[in-house]
Amino acid sequence: MNKIVGILLPYLIIIFISIMQFVTIPQKLVFEALVIGITIGLWFLCLQKSEGTVMMKLGMILSLVIFAVATILGISNLHLDILTDFTPILALISGCECIGLYIVSQNKTTLSMSYKYSYKNKRRRYF
């Protein structure tokens, strides 16, 4: 469950920001910053609890590439109005994705006790 949430939370942040583009409330920027901060904290918590499998790392690398390309397009191409609104958030998520990739790569997959026991004691188990 932590793996799925760890992959989907950056996209939920982008969906939240896109919804907030149509809402007009006072202190909208403060509300957005509060929700984004809480969401990034939950994202890092989920990443810390998930195992660093190959598919998890590949999914995060793919997300990092998508966010980095969108950030570069938003900076260089000023004709797309929607990307100019999302460029600061995409840059923030790109940096957070790099830190999240480091967190996930530090989490090693756990071996089952039977495999670990039989691997270390393979000479003794046949007696």
Side-chain angles (χ1 to χ4, degrees):
M1 184 70 183
N2 287 326
K3 292 180 186 180
I4 296 169
V5 173
I7 294 291
L8 292 180
L9 269 175
Y11 296 105
L12 291 176
I13 293 171
I14 293 172
I15 291 171
F16 172 75
I17 294 298
S18 65
I19 291 171
M20 289 302 288
Q21 295 295 322
F22 300 111
V23 176
T24 55
I25 58 172
Q27 302 296 330
K28 180 175 85 168
L29 189 62
V30 174
F31 180 68
E32 286 178 358
L34 181 68
V35 171
I36 289 171
I38 290 171
T39 311
I40 288 175
L42 288 173
W43 180 30
F44 285 153
L45 186 67
C46 289
L47 290 179
Q48 186 179 9
K49 291 182 178 181
S50 66
E51 294 178 350
T53 59
V54 175
M55 293 303 289
M56 180 75 177
K57 291 177 189 175
L58 286 177
M60 291 188 72
I61 289 172
L62 180 66
S63 294
L64 179 63
V65 168
I66 290 170
F67 295 144
V69 167
T71 303
I72 292 170
L73 285 176
I75 291 171
S76 64
N77 190 0
L78 299 176
H79 299 295
L80 295 173
D81 292 333
I82 193 163
L83 277 181
T84 57
D85 295 336
F86 289 120
T87 302
I89 300 301
L90 289 171
L92 173 73
I93 292 176
S94 297
C96 290
E97 191 78 32
C98 292
I99 294 170
L101 187 61
Y102 176 75
I103 290 170
V104 168
S105 65
Q106 295 298 316
N107 296 340
K108 305 294 182 195
T109 57
T110 57
L111 298 174
S112 63
M113 288 298 285
S114 62
Y115 175 77
K116 190 174 183 181
Y117 180 77
S118 65
Y119 179 73
K120 286 186 175 181
N121 300 318
K122 63 181 171 182
R123 286 191 293 176
R124 281 193 253 160
R125 66 181 165 169
Y126 294 114
F127 291 117

